């Protein structure tokens, strides 16, 4: 049977996508073998792409490839073809790759089958045919199929959900919802929290408490036994650690900086940490200490390391989104149009990470400036229009909540949260007050919030 290879036009399109999208590159790397490639020039390029990714964890760029092979005219021609080719349809591309690999499986089996027949090994030949038929039937480039039958599969899906929801075996139970920790107003209206694979974005002005609220979500979920990946896009690792240390100990940053805890606090903290570890809770912190240092590809690589070392991730906390690069191999300019595209890529990329790792996602973005009068109006709330032309970034998010507070409310350690986007359920209370505990890095004070919600103020209950 004739030798079969991927043709040059297909490889050009495949390389085009693999240089920009790490998920497609990972799929291709797992299935494309060097003898599939049509020439030595294509093999050299593929080897460089694979080696660069294995060493750096990043996709190689067209520019780096060109620099490596500038003296080789034949390779440079292939690189030029890749750079100038149109962007293909990824689903069609992967479908054709899947068909090709199935053909290769058949060709390989055909040769082995002929050898068995020549040896008069009928039983071996029959066994081989059975195995190959099953392999061809089950082989898919992607784990998930392109379609699912709603009517046919409904009863099975409902039974699966019932079994999962009523499971009482802690060793098998994995919560399908990840709470925010804001019990009144958020988790009660979310029916327990944010679903795995789904995302929530916070927005507020500088100093509103976005970072504290994100860390509170990490702190709260770790106490439940959840595994959290916290990405600090700007600021030092030490700063983030001090904030978490203060939250767990229930102390101020000033005290956390000294490490000087009294005996009772030390004993309570030790007991709390042992309980969290017993439940399996942990926060894995990664800090990019300068602006634009990290990308979503870096985040993905870190998450994969955590899964390999420790196990599945329950929530991704990213503080905060626009400080990262999409990691798609593109260079974005400084114009509003380029920045809008960059932020839309970030929003979609963040959603893709949560889909890939089956975890909930929490992140934040900065609001634009509003007038002093508006900010101190107790009826004013930030909405998506307050991120100006970058509001397209929130399209992939199911939930978008803003943090609001007048100067008087901040002095009283209070905020108002407002649901601007609430995709899955109906939010009967879109704007609601909460009490905060900023001093001890816990953002949300549940007991004081109960007083405010039930009695209108804390003083009346006291």
């Amino acid at each position: 049977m004739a030798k079969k290879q991927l043709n040059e036009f297909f490889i050009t399109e495949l390389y085009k996508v693999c240089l920009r999208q790490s998920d497609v590159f990972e799929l291709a790397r797992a299935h494309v073998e060097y003898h599939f490639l049509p020439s030595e020039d294509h093999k050299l390029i593929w080897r460089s792409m694979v080696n660069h990714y294995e060493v750096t964890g990043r996709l190689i760029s067209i520019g780096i490839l060109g620099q490596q092979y500038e003296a080789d005219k034949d390779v440079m021609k292939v690189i030029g073809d890749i750079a100038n080719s149109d962007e293909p349809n990824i689903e069609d591309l992967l479908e054709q790759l899947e068909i090709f690999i199935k053909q290769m499986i058949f060709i390989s089996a055909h040769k082995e089958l002929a050898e068995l027949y020549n040896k008069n090994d009928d039983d071996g030949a029959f066994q081989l045919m059975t195995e190959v038929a099953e392999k061809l039937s089950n082989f898919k480039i992607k784990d998930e199929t392109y379609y699912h039958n709603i009517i046919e599969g409904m009863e099975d899906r409902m039974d699966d959900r019932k079994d999962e929801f009523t499971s009482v075996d802690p060793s098998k139970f994995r919560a399908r919802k990840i709470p925010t920790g804001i019990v009144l107003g958020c988790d009660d209206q979310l029916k327990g929290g944010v679903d795995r694979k789904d995302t929530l974005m916070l927005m507020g002005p500088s100093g509103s408490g976005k970072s504290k609220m994100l860390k509170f979500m990490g702190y709260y979920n770790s106490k439940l036994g959840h595994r959290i990946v916290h990405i600090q896009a700007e600021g030092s690792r030490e700063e983030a650690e001090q904030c978490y240390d203060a939250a767990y100990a229930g102390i101020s940053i000033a005290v956390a900086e000294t490490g000087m805890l009294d005996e009772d606090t030390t004993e309570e903290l030790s007991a709390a940490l042992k309980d969290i570890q017993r439940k399996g809770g942990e926060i894995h912190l990664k800090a990019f200490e300068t602006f634009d240092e990290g990308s979503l590809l870096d985040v993905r690589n870190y998450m994969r390391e955590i899964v390999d070392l420790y196990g599945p991730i329950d929530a991704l906390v990213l503080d905060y989104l626009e400080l990262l690069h999409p990691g798609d191999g593109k260079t974005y300019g400084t114009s509003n149009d380029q920045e809008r595209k960059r932020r839309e890529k970030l929003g979609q990329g963040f959603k893709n990470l949560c889909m890939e790792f089956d975890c909930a996602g929490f992140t934040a973005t900065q609001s634009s400036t509003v007038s002093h009068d508006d900010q101190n109006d107790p009826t004013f709330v930030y909405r998506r229009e307050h991120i100006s032309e970058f509001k397209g970034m929130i399209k992939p998010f199911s939930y978008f909540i803003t943090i609001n507070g007048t100067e008087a409310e901040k002095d009283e350690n209070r905020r108002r949260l407002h649901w601007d986007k609430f995709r899955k359920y109906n939010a009967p209370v879109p704007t609601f007050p909460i009490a905060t505990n900023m001093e001890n890095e816990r953002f949300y004070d549940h007991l004081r919030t109960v007083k405010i919600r039930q009695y209108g103020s804390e003083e009346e209950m006291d």
Side-chain angles (χ1 to χ4, degrees):
M1 187 169 289
K3 182 180 179 182
K4 189 171 181 61
Q5 294 173 321
L6 293 164
N7 70 57
E8 293 186 9
F9 298 106
F10 180 86
I11 285 295
T12 298
E13 292 186 347
L14 180 63
Y15 284 4
K16 178 87 170 184
V17 177
C18 286
L19 288 168
R20 296 185 177 182
Q21 294 194 211
S22 58
D23 54 343
V24 177
F25 174 74
E26 288 280 8
L27 288 170
R29 187 166 68 125
H31 297 290
V32 172
E33 300 179 18
Y34 282 101
H35 65 270
F36 293 175
L37 305 176
S39 72
E40 288 301 317
D41 301 327
H42 291 88
K43 292 177 182 178
L44 284 172
I45 292 172
W46 185 243
R47 187 172 290 111
S48 292
M49 292 167 67
V50 171
N51 289 344
H52 184 87
Y53 188 80
E54 289 179 347
V55 172
T56 68
R58 298 187 297 274
L59 298 176
I60 197 170
S61 68
I62 283 282
I64 294 176
L65 281 172
Q67 186 66 30
Q68 289 181 357
Y69 296 105
E70 62 177 343
D72 191 324
K73 292 182 180 179
D74 293 333
V75 177
M76 287 299 292
K77 181 182 182 305
V78 176
I79 293 173
D81 291 341
I82 297 169
N84 296 322
S85 64
D86 294 331
E87 195 79 35
N89 181 283
I90 296 174
E91 297 293 341
D92 292 343
L93 194 74
L94 293 178
E95 183 178 353
Q96 288 302 310
L97 181 59
E98 183 176 303
I99 290 171
F100 174 83
I101 293 172
K102 285 183 175 180
Q103 291 173 342
M104 296 302 294
I105 293 172
F106 175 78
I107 291 171
S108 176
H110 183 274
K111 294 178 182 178
E112 190 175 348
L113 190 63
E115 292 175 359
L116 291 171
Y117 271 120
N118 290 334
K119 296 177 181 178
N120 295 318
D121 186 356
D122 294 344
D123 291 339
F126 179 78
Q127 179 65 27
L128 177 63
M129 289 179 63
T130 303
E131 292 173 357
V132 171
E134 183 178 357
K135 187 174 183 179
L136 289 172
S137 176
N138 295 332
F139 178 80
K140 288 186 179 297
I141 288 288
K142 286 185 145 184
D143 293 331
E144 296 182 1
T145 56
Y146 298 127
Y147 61 88
H148 297 277
N149 297 328
I150 295 297
I151 305 301
E152 180 182 359
M154 188 177 299
E155 290 182 337
D156 289 339
R157 292 196 305 274
M158 295 301 288
D159 286 342
D160 289 343
R161 291 172 189 159
K162 181 180 179 181
D163 290 343
E164 179 184 0
F165 190 75
T166 58
S167 171
V168 294
D169 185 349
S171 66
K172 296 180 179 179
F173 179 75
R174 191 164 178 243
R176 65 188 182 90
K177 284 179 176 286
I178 308 300
T180 66
I182 312 297
V183 179
L184 295 178
C186 287
D187 293 333
D188 54 348
Q189 300 195 86
L190 289 166
K191 315 300 181 187
V194 175
D195 290 296
R196 292 181 182 276
K197 295 185 172 68
D198 220 337
T199 52
L200 178 151
M201 176 180 277
L202 309 173
M203 187 188 76
S206 178
S208 60
K210 298 184 296 296
S211 292
K212 291 183 186 293
M213 187 170 175
L214 288 173
K215 289 184 178 69
F216 175 78
M217 292 173 174
Y219 154 79
Y220 184 88
N221 276 287
S222 71
K223 291 177 65 180
L224 298 178
H226 292 154
R227 185 175 307 286
I228 312 300
V229 168
H230 180 112
I231 304 298
Q232 193 67 37
E234 187 178 45
S236 71
R237 172 179 58 82
E238 290 78 9
E239 289 172 343
E241 287 175 341
Q242 287 172 1
C243 290
Y244 273 120
D245 293 345
Y248 285 108
I251 57 178
S252 68
I253 283 285
V255 176
E257 287 175 342
T258 68
M260 301 292 290
L261 306 183
D262 60 49
E263 186 176 345
D264 289 343
T265 302
T266 300
E267 290 180 0
E268 291 173 4
L269 177 61
S270 178
L273 295 179
K274 287 178 181 177
D275 182 62
I276 293 171
Q277 290 176 321
R278 179 183 59 79
K279 294 176 181 176
E282 183 56 278
I283 298 175
H284 303 282
L285 172 67
K286 173 69 174 178
F288 299 107
E289 301 199 354
T290 59
F291 174 73
D292 205 28
E293 177 189 351
S295 71
L296 287 182
L297 180 58
D298 295 323
V299 174
R300 181 175 183 267
N301 291 336
Y302 181 67
M303 293 175 75
R304 290 188 63 179
E305 291 176 5
I306 295 301
V307 171
D308 290 343
L309 289 171
Y310 300 101
I313 296 166
D314 297 298
L316 170 61
V317 176
L318 200 164
D319 185 12
Y320 50 91
L321 190 58
E322 63 254 35
L323 297 180
L324 292 182
H325 188 276
D328 56 0
K330 294 182 179 179
T331 300
Y332 293 88
T334 58
S335 68
N336 281 345
D337 180 62
Q338 286 287 296
E339 180 62 12
R340 181 171 63 252
K341 291 178 180 178
R342 186 183 78 89
R343 296 198 187 195
E344 288 177 357
K345 278 278 190 179
L346 283 169
Q348 187 59 59
F350 184 75
K351 173 72 172 181
N352 289 344
L353 283 177
C354 295
M355 293 281 289
E356 178 181 352
F357 288 91
D358 190 31
C359 65
F362 304 107
T363 189
T365 187
Q366 184 92 353
S367 67
S368 57
T369 303
V370 301
S371 70
H372 184 269
D373 289 343
D374 279 343
Q375 194 163 345
N376 282 289
D377 180 350
T379 65
F380 170 83
V381 291
Y382 286 92
R383 293 183 171 84
R384 70 190 71 184
E385 56 263 30
H386 294 110
I387 46 176
S388 188
E389 61 268 25
F390 307 132
K391 59 181 176 290
M393 178 172 59
I394 73 169
K395 288 180 181 178
F397 289 82
S398 291
Y399 307 104
F400 182 61
I401 194 166
T402 65
I403 305 174
N404 306 272
T406 64
E407 291 180 359
E409 287 171 322
K410 292 177 182 178
D411 289 341
E412 296 170 358
N413 294 315
R414 295 173 61 168
R415 295 289 191 278
R416 279 169 294 115
L417 301 185
H418 172 74
W419 287 110
D420 183 80
K421 186 177 183 182
F422 203 92
R423 180 177 289 168
K424 187 171 183 180
Y425 306 110
N426 175 42
V429 184
T431 307
F432 53 92
I434 63 165
T436 59
N437 184 359
M438 302 293 192
E439 181 181 357
N440 293 337
E441 298 299 315
R442 289 184 177 175
F443 186 77
Y444 174 71
D445 188 319
H446 181 63
L447 293 179
R448 288 177 51 232
T449 300
V450 170
K451 295 179 183 180
I452 293 171
R453 293 288 293 271
Q454 292 185 350
Y455 297 93
S457 71
E458 299 171 57
E459 289 75 14
E460 286 186 32
M461 187 176 180
D462 293 338

